[in-house]
Amino acid sequence: MSLRTRLIQMTPRFLVRIFAGPYIAGNSLAMALAKADTLFQNQGLHSTLDLLGEGIQHEKDIDHEIQQYLEAIDAIGDRTYITLSLKPTQMGLAMDPALCQRNLERLLEKATSRCIPITLDMEESRYTDATLELYRTLRPKHPYLGTVLQSRLFRTKNDIPRYLDGLQAHIRLCLGIYPEPPEIAFQQKTEMKENFYQRLGQLWDAGHFVAIATHDEALIARCLQLAKDKHIPPERYEVQMLLGVPRSAIQQQITQQGIPVRLYVPYATTWDHAYAYAKRRLVENPQMALYVARNILRQFFGLFRTKTALPPRSS
Ligand SMILES: Cc1cc2nc3c(=O)[nH]c(=O)nc-3n(C[C@H](O)[C@H](O)[C@H](O)COP(=O)(O)OP(=O)(O)OC[C@H]3O[C@@H](n4cnc5c(N)ncnc54)[C@H](O)[C@@H]3O)c2cc1C
């Protein structure tokens, strides 16, 4: 274990809670729903709820996760502005892909009958094949199922025809949070972002729906300009961001153009899971600690106001 990882693991709970506070809706489904309702009613923002769970290694723990998701599907009811996201390893992917598929089918049966979209998040590259294989298998029966592609990975360009051909898929495109080695992934953010832009065009050309998941305002502006140039109607894309990242000005500009903005809203059922999640994110991406510190300062002093101009809506 590196010194950095050890230091993060030793961080006192109250500090982790300060770090996690803006990013997590709370420690119950009710709190997550209340957050989603407020975001929609006050700012017109959509949500995708994500139940945090860590270190799932036993089938009985997976059952618990499934129960929580089934409850969430019931509770969402007819709120069309809420979807769900989940990590395939929460459903047993690391233990056995066939078990994961059976568990997902249990969930999807109910979600599909209620027209509630579920997105399979993308984890480390060792799970990419299995996740995309699950997607290709399950999507034809479940038209509300989505998944994620990471522009950090070289393979994404080939995964689009290989796994998504003919599916009219629902794809969240992001950089990818997990560090990956230089043999398989871009190491510079500028390269990941250029690849993001190229893969977005490729996905649209192949007829897929794309959720543009980034907080980089210049990249968002470029992507929205591409939608305009390619005459992509707003039914075929949305912009996604994480709860807690202060982007309200640009979110408002985008929603005013009739383009949906959806926030990723994590919630826990115990603070232990929330602490574990926050620590894992910090280990994976220590820059996040800087972001949080900068964001707290930004809110405090009103610094670094957004200057990015979005392209005007096409007529
Ligand atoms: C809705 C959504 C879902 C995602 N799902 C996945 C997934 O399934 N798999 C996966 O690997 N990755 C996922 N990610 C993470 C994504 O891959 C990136 O790691 C993350 O969004 C940061 O990249 P960026 O495009 O915002 O660009 P960056 O250049 O990293 O960030 C641009 C700016 O945004 C701000 N910012 C970015 N992230 C944060 C943060 N966490 N806190 C505070 N400020 C921040 C900073 O000001 C930063 O300078 C998801 C991201 C979003 C928005």
Side-chain angles (χ1 to χ4, degrees), residues 125 154 179-187:
S125 60
F154 302 149
E180 302 286 356
E183 297 75 44
I184 63 164
F186 295 108
Q187 304 298 308

Side-chain angles (χ1 to χ4, degrees), residues 19 23 48 85-87 119-124 147-152 172-178 180 189 193 196 211-217 219 239-247 262-265 281 285 287-295 298:
F19 165 77
Y23 295 103
T48 185
S85 289
L86 60 80
K87 300 208 164 13
T119 298
L120 303 179
D121 287 349
M122 191 57 78
E123 301 171 82
E124 297 97 315
T147 192
V148 177
L149 290 174
Q150 298 157 325
S151 70
R152 165 191 300 263
R172 176 193 302 149
L173 183 62
C174 65
L175 301 190
I177 186 78
Y178 305 93
E180 302 286 356
K189 286 261 172 99
K193 288 177 184 176
F196 187 110
I212 299 164
T214 180
H215 311 93
D216 181 323
E217 300 188 6
L219 181 59
V239 175
Q240 293 191 355
M241 301 191 200
L242 300 175
L243 177 72
V245 180
R247 288 290 182 273
R262 187 177 304 279
L263 298 195
Y264 189 92
V265 177
R281 297 300 284 244
N285 188 355
Q287 255 190 328
M288 283 176 72
L290 284 179
Y291 290 158
V292 175
R294 201 166 65 187
N295 291 339
R298 191 184 201 179

Side-chain angles (χ1 to χ4, degrees), residues 30-181:
M31 288 172 92
L33 290 169
K35 174 60 82 178
D37 289 343
T38 309
L39 288 168
F40 187 70
Q41 282 151 18
N42 295 352
Q43 296 165 71
L45 298 173
H46 300 233
S47 294
T48 185
L49 306 188
D50 167 64
L51 171 67
L52 297 174
E54 292 285 322
I56 292 169
Q57 284 166 4
H58 302 289
E59 276 196 59
K60 70 170 175 27
D61 296 331
I62 299 175
D63 272 344
H64 175 77
E65 300 289 295
I66 295 175
Q67 284 314 321
Q68 300 293 323
Y69 270 103
L70 290 172
E71 271 178 36
I73 292 169
D74 276 332
I76 289 171
D78 57 6
R79 294 165 165 102
T80 52
Y81 50 90
I82 305 183
T83 66
L84 292 169
S85 289
L86 60 80
K87 300 208 164 13
T89 56
Q90 259 176 307
M91 297 291 135
L93 186 64
M95 290 157 63
D96 172 10
L99 167 76
C100 180
Q101 183 173 330
R102 287 196 298 280
N103 289 333
L104 282 173
E105 275 167 343
R106 265 178 76 191
L107 265 187
L108 287 169
E109 200 179 316
K110 187 165 190 174
T112 304
S113 72
R114 307 278 170 89
C115 306
I116 295 179
I118 295 189
T119 298
L120 303 179
D121 287 349
M122 191 57 78
E123 301 171 82
E124 297 97 315
S125 60
R126 69 189 137 131
Y127 299 119
T128 309
D129 273 317
T131 304
L132 292 177
E133 199 60 63
L134 277 170
Y135 188 69
R136 188 166 61 175
T137 307
L138 296 169
R139 166 79 188 186
K141 263 175 65 189
H142 298 286
Y144 299 99
L145 184 64
T147 192
V148 177
L149 290 174
Q150 298 157 325
S151 70
R152 165 191 300 263
L153 297 181
F154 302 149
R155 58 174 291 166
T156 296
K157 181 180 183 177
N158 298 326
D159 284 340
I160 294 170
R162 178 165 174 214
Y163 285 102
L164 308 181
D165 228 20
L167 288 184
Q168 289 195 310
H170 193 299
I171 296 299
R172 176 193 302 149
L173 183 62
C174 65
L175 301 190
I177 186 78
Y178 305 93
E180 302 286 356

Side-chain angles (χ1 to χ4, degrees), residues 241-270:
M241 301 191 200
L242 300 175
L243 177 72
V245 180
R247 288 290 182 273
S248 44
I250 192 167
Q251 287 164 1
Q252 210 182 334
Q253 287 177 50
I254 298 168
T255 47
Q256 277 167 0
Q257 294 196 9
I259 302 162
V261 176
R262 187 177 304 279
L263 298 195
Y264 189 92
V265 177
Y267 70 101
T269 46
T270 79

Side-chain angles (χ1 to χ4, degrees), residues 271-291:
W271 273 108
D272 282 347
H273 285 162
Y275 293 134
Y277 167 80
K279 284 185 176 176
R280 189 166 57 80
R281 297 300 284 244
L282 268 174
V283 169
E284 281 156 4
N285 188 355
Q287 255 190 328
M288 283 176 72
L290 284 179
Y291 290 158

